Amino acid sequence: MKIPFVSFEPMQRDIKKEMLEKFEEMYDKAYYIQGEEYKKFEDKFASYIGVKYAIGVGNGLDALMLILRAMNIGNGDEVIVPSNTFIATALAVTYVGATPIFVEPILEEYNINPELIEEKINEKTKAIIAVHLYGQCADMDRINAIAKKHNLFVIEDAAQAHGALYKGRKAGSLGDAAGFSMYPGKNLGALGDAGMVTTNNKELAEKVAALCCYGSDYKYHHIYKGVNSRLDEIQSGFLNIKLDYLDKWNSARNEIAKKYLSGIKNAKIILPVVNKDNYHVWHIFAVRCKNRDKFEQYLNEHGIGTNKHYPTPIHMQGAYADLNIKEGTLPLAEEISKTELSLPMFYGMTDEEVEFVIDTINRF
């Protein structure tokens, strides 16, 4: 049996007719930037998340960068980020001229450890970026309490957490602002790059909306030195359709995860832990294995696709050599990078495929 790490075919097959009809409708209207579909998706997504404002932008990295700019965070400032995350979280901080300060995760949950945040706070610290990694929310009550104590902004990196819940509230509604990616591989993915900023802060929403459109609050009137990072009309139309299916798709991922969690019994494999306060949406089903490379080779030889998230931690990437963070300084991020392996997880996996993955792992 051949099982890919991910397949979009079942999802796209289910909605193909709607998507093609929507494309034809938009094509005939010939309005491709910030039209009716764009505005509809902003409103629809804000309502889904449970916030007052949503601003469509070009991608998830831009979403975070624009939030930081709208908060006037820049040169000389520091922003706390998890040591275990995709590089985009840190790049957003770098792009505005600030410095990312890495904090280690809770190993079993992979998200930033609130107990380690305060020791990294100083007079330069302006914000905390809490990443909801792999589809599970960070411990936002504790993070928000620390931020309030030190007068810091809280930004959610919700790029992998569309529809995730923390104590009954949606990811994207838990801090001062949140950045989403709608990259095609996400639980809610466009057919290209796309992103979104969510917030309850009217002033911040208006500033992000201007910054993403050349710094313009209305045509040919530029109040900021902005960028061109707009969510286009066609992707908005597609996302309007796909948002209606997101909860169904997330529910299917949860059923797969439940089977993995109950069925994988191999003592060599460390399973992820779900915090009791969370509804995990399983963008990634990440396990750990001390002999990760051998485990990966074994699964691949048996036709099971895998991926690694992420094989080199940010502080050891050449892009951040200038921070001079020595190997061993952030041991948990390094441990995860050496041992993490992601199993197949996608809407449309059959029971037979899931059982094959479980049985194969248990024989390793």
Side-chain angles (χ1 to χ4, degrees):
M1 184 179 290
K2 291 280 188 182
I3 303 173
F5 170 67
V6 66
S7 172
F8 305 128
E9 194 277 330
M11 176 193 303
Q12 303 292 27
R13 181 184 61 233
D14 285 358
I15 61 173
K16 182 176 180 179
K17 185 174 183 290
E18 288 179 81
M19 296 285 272
L20 291 177
E21 287 174 352
K22 177 57 68 175
F23 175 75
E24 187 173 356
E25 175 191 326
M26 294 185 293
Y27 187 86
D28 289 342
K29 284 182 178 179
Y31 198 114
Y32 304 127
I33 299 292
Q34 294 186 330
E36 293 175 5
E37 294 290 338
Y38 169 83
K39 181 58 180 171
K40 178 182 176 182
F41 183 59
E42 286 187 327
D43 293 344
K44 191 172 180 177
F45 194 74
S47 177
Y48 176 79
I49 298 300
V51 294
K52 294 178 181 177
Y53 309 103
I55 306 95
V57 299
N59 55 69
L61 171 54
D62 283 359
L64 295 175
M65 179 271 291
L66 289 162
I67 291 167
L68 290 163
R69 281 198 60 185
M71 291 174 171
N72 297 317
I73 294 172
N75 292 330
D77 294 333
E78 294 182 356
V79 176
I80 289 172
V81 303
S83 60
N84 176 49
T85 184
F86 182 55
I87 196 170
T89 315
L91 287 174
V93 177
T94 303
Y95 285 176
V96 300
T99 301
I101 303 298
F102 298 110
V103 171
E104 290 272 73
I106 300 170
L107 187 59
E108 297 79 12
E109 298 176 17
Y110 300 109
N111 283 324
I112 193 168
N113 188 341
E115 292 184 3
L116 304 178
I117 291 175
E118 279 198 275
E119 64 189 50
K120 297 294 182 74
I121 294 172
N122 59 48
E123 68 280 356
K124 296 180 181 179
T125 310
K126 296 297 185 292
I128 303 167
I129 299 182
V131 180
H132 305 317
L133 200 66
Y134 305 151
Q136 175 164 224
C137 290
D139 191 342
M140 294 304 296
D141 280 356
R142 294 170 71 191
I143 292 168
N144 282 322
I146 293 166
K148 183 176 181 181
K149 177 180 176 181
H150 295 277
N151 195 29
L152 306 176
F153 291 111
V154 174
I155 301 165
E156 297 171 77
D157 181 340
Q160 300 181 3
H162 313 74
L165 298 175
Y166 173 79
K167 297 185 177 180
R169 296 170 59 201
K170 290 263 176 52
S173 69
L174 305 168
D176 293 295
F180 287 85
S181 166
M182 278 81 172
Y183 178 79
K186 297 298 196 283
N187 290 32
L188 179 65
L191 302 190
D193 271 323
M196 186 71 78
V197 171
T198 58
T199 184
N200 284 311
N201 185 314
K202 184 174 186 289
E203 182 181 353
L204 187 143
E206 290 175 346
K207 190 168 182 180
V208 168
L211 284 168
C212 76
C213 192
Y214 300 100
S216 174
D217 55 348
Y218 60 88
K219 195 166 186 177
Y220 301 134
H221 186 260
H222 305 272
I223 51 178
Y224 310 111
K225 295 181 178 73
V227 299
N228 177 19
S229 180
R230 297 174 294 198
L231 174 59
D232 75 59
E233 184 74 355
I234 289 176
Q235 299 299 347
S236 298
F238 292 150
L239 288 164
N240 273 319
I241 292 171
K242 296 182 87 173
L243 183 56
D244 291 336
Y245 292 86
L246 177 59
D247 289 343
K248 173 185 174 181
W249 294 336
N250 284 342
S251 179
R253 288 173 176 268
N254 259 274
E255 290 305 310
I256 296 166
K258 286 176 184 177
K259 291 173 183 174
Y260 280 160
L261 290 170
S262 64
I264 297 173
K265 302 294 187 182
N266 191 325
K268 301 183 186 73
I269 308 306
I270 302 170
L271 295 170
V273 173
V274 181
N275 187 296
K276 62 180 176 58
D277 292 325
N278 288 329
Y279 175 72
H280 199 317
V281 294
W282 300 105
H283 174 62
I284 298 296
F285 192 95
V287 300
R288 286 185 292 121
C289 179
K290 290 293 183 183
N291 200 344
R292 190 264 310 279
D293 293 342
K294 184 177 179 181
F295 179 47
E296 179 181 35
Q297 182 181 357
Y298 165 80
L299 291 180
N300 294 168
E301 287 173 351
H302 283 78
I304 298 172
T306 56
N307 207 334
K308 295 187 281 287
H309 296 87
Y310 302 95
T312 304
I314 299 172
H315 68 281
M316 293 178 64
Q317 297 279 0
Y320 281 100
D322 60 307
L323 295 181
N324 296 312
I325 300 175
K326 295 180 180 179
E327 185 174 357
T329 303
L330 298 166
L332 295 185
E334 293 170 25
E335 171 72 10
I336 292 169
S337 73
K338 294 172 184 174
T339 58
E340 189 276 340
L341 193 68
S342 304
L343 303 183
M345 170 60 72
F346 55 90
Y347 170 78
M349 279 188 79
T350 66
D351 291 344
E352 183 183 11
E353 288 173 327
V354 175
E355 289 304 321
F356 180 76
V357 173
I358 293 170
D359 292 343
T360 304
I361 290 173
N362 286 338
R363 292 195 304 269
F364 173 68

